[in-house]
Amino acid sequence: QAQLVESGGGLVQAGGSLRLSCIASGLTFSEYTMAWFRQAPGNQREFVAAISRSGGSTHLTDSVKGRFTISRANARNTVYLQMNSLKPEDTAVYYCAATVNSFSDYEGWYEFWGQGTQVTVSS
């Protein structure tokens, strides 16, 4: 079975930085498009970022462009989300997801999900 495990969340002041990691097991990592989604209480889960199988293409939602960077290390079965200049509105549970398909910002497209890691940004 495939498993995705996120880490790196925490409490940070506005303007600070965090790096989230997601380690995959039980799948051939380089065959999967990887993505990050987030969900705040009472809100729908929203797309944040995605990266292609080789790492050659990335996609970011408009609200995080210029602040967040997605990357992957296929040799380590890991995808990262570097979050800089954090804002209170970034507060959410962040989830990583994987699909054998190409990029989509639709959460139903993704076959495997991690358990989530909490990011809280104080003002």
Side-chain angles (χ1 to χ4, degrees):
Q1 80 278 203
Q3 186 176 22
L4 306 177
V5 179
E6 302 98 332
S7 63
L11 175 64
V12 65
Q13 291 185 343
S17 297
L18 287 171
R19 188 177 75 160
L20 306 184
S21 300
C22 174
I23 300 176
S25 61
L27 52 77
T28 303
F29 186 70
S30 62
E31 295 179 352
Y32 285 78
T33 299
M34 300 298 298
W36 291 93
F37 290 76
R38 65 187 181 186
Q39 187 169 23
N43 293 339
Q44 294 181 306
R45 189 169 298 185
E46 66 173 337
F47 171 78
V48 178
I51 187 165
S52 63
R53 299 170 186 84
S54 67
S57 298
T58 62
H59 307 268
L60 297 169
T61 194
D62 286 346
S63 64
V64 307
K65 287 180 179 176
R67 300 189 297 121
F68 290 12
T69 303
I70 187 170
S71 62
R72 67 192 294 162
N74 283 353
R76 293 185 286 183
N77 282 17
T78 303
V79 62
Y80 303 97
L81 186 67
Q82 178 67 47
M83 306 186 295
N84 298 326
S85 301
L86 282 161
K87 304 175 180 179
E89 49 263 48
D90 296 317
T91 295
V93 177
Y94 284 70
Y95 300 89
C96 70
T99 179
V100 297
N101 303 120
S102 57
F103 162 75
S104 175
D105 61 3
Y106 169 51
E107 65 175 307
W109 202 245
Y110 291 82
E111 299 149 359
F112 304 108
W113 291 83
Q115 82 290 345
T117 185
Q118 177 71 49
V119 172
T120 302
V121 184
S122 62
S123 60

